[in-house]
Amino acid sequence: MNMANLKLTPCLWFDKEAEEAANFYVSVFKNSNIDNISYYTKEGFEIHGMPAGTVLTVSFQLDGNPFTAMNGGPLFKFNEAVSFQIFCETQQEIDFYWDKLTEGGNEVECGWLKDKYGLSWQVVPSVLPELLTDPARAERVMKVLMQMKKFNIEELLNA
């Protein structure tokens, strides 16, 4: 993939886990791969403090979507202000992503979770936006979903 032709690519800041995290994410999502890895050199050590040969960035794709993971040190941490949504057609898909991404992480509310690196994800039924914009159902659906951690499609459809 020619990165120069891309307009938007999320860059995820890790302390030292960029390569490990990229490999983990690639193992979870279909049609995913590591594109390339760059490394710190001796130049700039007095600023970045990373030994030469340490992974600097990992360019990778998750289901065809480009990402970059960067080892930038412990200065910044992920928080819920940014999350990635995974829209799922079936309960089986929801269960798969939920189980994989909460491993070593934790469940939050309303389809949100944090993975073992602290990155927030939303595992969402594809039908949810339609349910929430249907004036006849929106209030009942909202009441049901507010009580869930991992979404249950059947319960949402029956609301």
Side-chain angles (χ1 to χ4, degrees):
M1 173 177 287
N2 181 352
M3 300 302 275
N5 293 333
L6 295 174
K7 299 279 186 209
L8 293 171
T9 301
C11 182
L12 308 174
W13 180 300
F14 294 87
D15 180 3
K16 298 176 184 161
E17 307 87 4
E19 185 174 18
E20 175 188 316
N23 283 319
F24 170 69
Y25 298 138
V26 164
S27 78
V28 171
F29 292 87
K30 294 177 184 174
N31 305 314
S32 300
N33 59 282
I34 302 292
D35 291 327
N36 78 62
I37 301 173
S38 67
Y39 300 89
Y40 281 99
T41 64
K42 290 184 280 183
E43 186 60 40
F45 178 80
E46 66 283 353
I47 297 168
H48 57 68
M50 297 289 197
T54 301
V55 170
L56 171 59
T57 63
V58 181
S59 298
F60 62 105
Q61 294 181 49
L62 300 181
D63 202 13
N65 295 293
F67 285 81
T68 300
M70 178 179 77
N71 283 327
L75 187 60
F76 299 112
K77 303 286 184 210
F78 295 121
N79 67 49
E80 294 80 0
V82 173
S83 62
F84 293 99
Q85 295 179 312
I86 306 166
F87 286 95
C88 301
E89 296 296 321
T90 66
Q91 189 65 46
Q92 183 179 4
E93 279 184 288
I94 289 172
D95 295 345
F96 173 81
Y97 288 113
W98 192 267
D99 293 346
K100 292 288 186 183
L101 293 170
T102 58
E103 194 174 291
N106 62 301
E107 298 180 351
V108 190
E109 283 80 28
C110 302
W112 288 58
L113 64 89
K114 276 192 169 194
D115 68 25
K116 61 186 167 184
Y117 303 103
L119 188 59
S120 292
W121 298 85
Q122 297 177 54
V123 183
V124 182
S126 297
V127 70
L128 187 60
E130 178 185 328
L131 295 174
L132 290 174
T133 57
D134 178 352
R137 301 174 84 174
E139 194 165 330
R140 294 189 317 269
V141 170
M142 183 63 84
K143 182 177 181 179
V144 170
L145 79 80
M146 294 299 288
Q147 298 173 32
M148 294 181 180
K149 286 191 177 186
K150 177 175 70 172
F151 283 133
N152 181 306
I153 293 176
E154 186 176 334
E155 289 180 25
L156 292 168
L157 290 172
N158 291 332

